[in-house]
Amino acid sequence: MRLFQKLQTVPMLTSHRVKLAVLFVAANIGLMLHLLNGDIKPLSAWDWLDIAGEGGSALLLLVWIWLLLKSRPAGYVTNLLFLGLGCLFFSLFMDVVDEFVALPDEITWDGWLESGPMPAGFVLLTLGIFHWHKEQLAINEQMRNRERLFREHRQFDKLTPLGDAHYLRKQLELALGEAEQARLPVSVVMVDMDGFANINRDYGHKEGDRLLQVLTQQILLNLRQHDLLCRLAGDRFALILPHTGASQAQLLAEELQKSIQHLAYKSSRQGERLYLSATAVAAMAREEDAETLLYRLNIAMAKAKQTLEVRHG
Amino acid sequence: MDEPRSWLECDTRFIPAHYQPVSLIDLALERGVNAHRLLQGSGLFYEDILTGDKLISPQQFHALIANARQQLQADDTSFLIGHQWLPGHCGAASHALRHATNLLEALQRLIRLQPLLSPLMMPRLRLDERHVWLSWSDSFGSGSQAVFLIEASMTAVSSVSQWLSGQRLPWAFHLAHARPRYIEQYWVHLGERLRFDCPLNQMCLPREYLLTPWAEASATAGQVAEQEGWGMVRTLVAPRSLLDGLHDYLVKEIRTPLRLEQVAEAFAMSPATLKRKLKKHGSHFQEQLDRARSAVALELYLSRGYTTEEVADYLNFTDRANFRRSLRRWTGLLPSELSTWLGSQR
């Protein structure tokens, strides 16, 4: 479930080892064919502009291929993109080799090596990008309730698959602007675990982290299509509810509280049941900016917590 | 000449690596930081820490904090660490804190066993008619790690007092730095009673919480552990840091004319040595003197309700304009601004 877990770079590349090896062998065979059948051009005949242009493009394509393989899991879309880029690279590489090696006139296959893979590469790359687009739509569906309108990977929280406080602030500003223009209400709900510090103390940070990840999923399951969940800090989450009035937001806050109370969470080591409870407060945006609204919710949260029984925090 | 002759300095190795440093190391490793990068430049090796007898200097600890911050790139590191620092894993000292029977005893033990429980930051306790004040000062000149250490130390005290009392204590926090961009971390970990740009780093609580008995404490076990902890403090090369010793000396002698030469004599070192030692901690004599005066002035204002005239008199200022300028230099505030600040206090 953890989409944003740091991608393990090493295994990612090793699973693509065969692909890289094939590309390497193909480029070498092309080079060998040229060297076997032709003669190296004298230095005076080298066309530096062509060498720089074609060689540079070939190098950049290698960088693209490396980044692609480094960041993507193996699969249909990755294969298509790789094949496309690989063909383009091969074609440009043959062009570069051609600048150094003069082939006798009776040989015609070199033209095929240079120009053949190019259109094939473009077709494959186009197919790859088309399917990438399809894949992205599928991922967007998975990202529902976790992002809206824009994506900013630097604002992903490091622990949960959610946006962080900066992402929340930006989204809240957007939502407030939208709401004002459309003259529709927008509400925010803040959820905070009770006694979370004690769980960290008694069961350790790892357990606390795991609980936050589970809670994230639990909260996401309770949301509507357009609601957005972010992690504010620690065990405090914030929810932006577009087109939602105060009473509906209050209802959702209560539902979330109940849902967390009914979550039968078990500790990872002993499988011990931890009894959880959370405090959720809701507020409808008045004419105010994101910071004021967040601050107001925060005060509401502090008041709600004050009435809690002892042994909670 | 009643000052001790040796002091903890920023290069004195006295902090057991498996006390506070290890919780930072564990947090970083759990979050996927490379151990080599984390310890780089700190002069530490992971194997050393595992032996359980490695001592590190404040400088090395500062370097470790800098690395952890750099590698983790997270706003909550200081707060997460703070939650773990007290009572912590410092043997008898932690045990003594764990079994304090009320807040006053806990804070007194924290201060008495400070070199073990809070080696980089010195807490000082002050009680007035209505409030408990716990102010924090940087024992070794931590430079750019100062805000991190303040966040961690304040979180540690508020977290441990909440845990032991079983209650949310309404601590208020006065912070010398500006309101940070990651204010939400303060809201979640410290609460909403926050003031930034203050003349002093301190936390404050109504007095009524001071003597409320804590349920799960064992008074005898606590006393025994405190004795044992105190024994450990006495085995250190020195009981406190040079900066802390100097601060207390200056505060005590604040009404007498204070010059570098004569303070150095009281500390049994040459003026040049004192100057060099202060420089090593990123400070100088005038700065230390200003800090001491600022602390005294604020105490007079805050706890004894002195007027500006009375404070100026106490500090031997005959010229009002001069006092205004000086106060501005120590606290960043003019007397009038200070009284507004004080007025909006409680």
Side-chain angles (χ1 to χ4, degrees), chain A residues 6 157-159 164-166 169 190 192 195 197-198 200-202 204-206 209 231-236 291 294-296 298-299 301-303 305-306 308-313, chain B residues 27 30-32 72-76 80-84 86-88 156 159-168 170 179 181-185 187-189 191-193 215-216:
Chain A
K6 247 190 208 162
D157 183 60
K158 290 199 172 72
L159 185 68
D164 65 10
H166 306 290
R169 285 201 174 93
M190 211 178 246
D192 189 293
N198 292 349
N200 265 337
R201 247 181 221 284
D202 298 344
H205 262 284
K206 266 197 181 147
D209 287 358
R231 180 171 174 232
L232 187 67
D235 54 328
R236 196 167 290 186
E291 204 54 43
L294 284 179
Y295 184 70
R296 193 153 65 84
N298 196 55
I299 296 293
M301 177 63 79
K303 277 198 184 134
K305 290 253 173 178
Q306 246 166 22
L308 283 177
E309 282 297 301
V310 290
R311 277 286 152 203
H312 278 309
Chain B
L27 179 80
E30 264 171 35
R31 302 258 149 122
L72 282 165
Q73 291 288 338
D75 299 330
D76 58 356
L80 292 178
I81 286 303
H83 283 296
Q84 298 193 331
L86 292 177
S159 170
V160 77
S161 57
Q162 178 173 324
W163 180 55
L164 293 174
S165 68
Q167 202 183 354
R168 286 175 79 81
R179 182 186 147 110
R181 160 186 69 67
Y182 49 92
I183 183 73
E184 61 279 353
Q185 301 290 344
W187 289 344
V188 170
H189 296 282
E192 64 296 343
R193 295 176 185 82
E216 285 166 39

Side-chain angles (χ1 to χ4, degrees), chain A residues 140-208:
Chain A
N140 284 352
E141 184 51 29
Q142 287 206 3
M143 291 291 290
R144 193 159 65 82
N145 295 137
R146 292 191 237 147
E147 73 174 15
R148 282 181 79 220
L149 301 173
F150 69 85
R151 174 169 300 171
E152 179 54 84
H153 69 275
R154 283 164 304 179
Q155 292 173 348
F156 287 151
D157 183 60
K158 290 199 172 72
L159 185 68
T160 58
L162 299 176
D164 65 10
H166 306 290
Y167 189 74
L168 171 75
R169 285 201 174 93
K170 280 213 174 145
Q171 288 288 353
L172 193 52
E173 293 290 359
L174 276 180
L176 289 175
E178 256 173 43
E180 198 173 351
Q181 279 192 346
R183 301 197 166 275
L184 283 165
V186 58
S187 294
V188 177
V189 166
M190 211 178 246
V191 187
D192 189 293
M193 291 299 294
D194 302 331
F196 184 73
N198 292 349
I199 292 176
N200 265 337
R201 247 181 221 284
D202 298 344
Y203 297 89
H205 262 284
K206 266 197 181 147
E207 192 65 55

Side-chain angles (χ1 to χ4, degrees), chain B residues 44-65:
Chain B
L44 271 171
F45 296 97
Y46 194 62
E47 294 72 29
D48 288 351
I49 297 162
L50 294 177
T51 63
D53 53 14
K54 174 80 180 171
L55 297 176
I56 71 169
S57 70
Q59 257 170 0
Q60 286 177 298
F61 199 174
H62 293 155
L64 184 66
I65 292 173

Side-chain angles (χ1 to χ4, degrees), chain B residues 97 100-104 106 160-161 164-165 169 209 212-217:
Chain B
L97 197 61
T101 51
N102 56 41
L103 180 62
L104 179 64
V160 77
S161 57
L164 293 174
S165 68
L169 300 181
Y209 295 94
T212 315
W214 288 351
E216 285 166 39

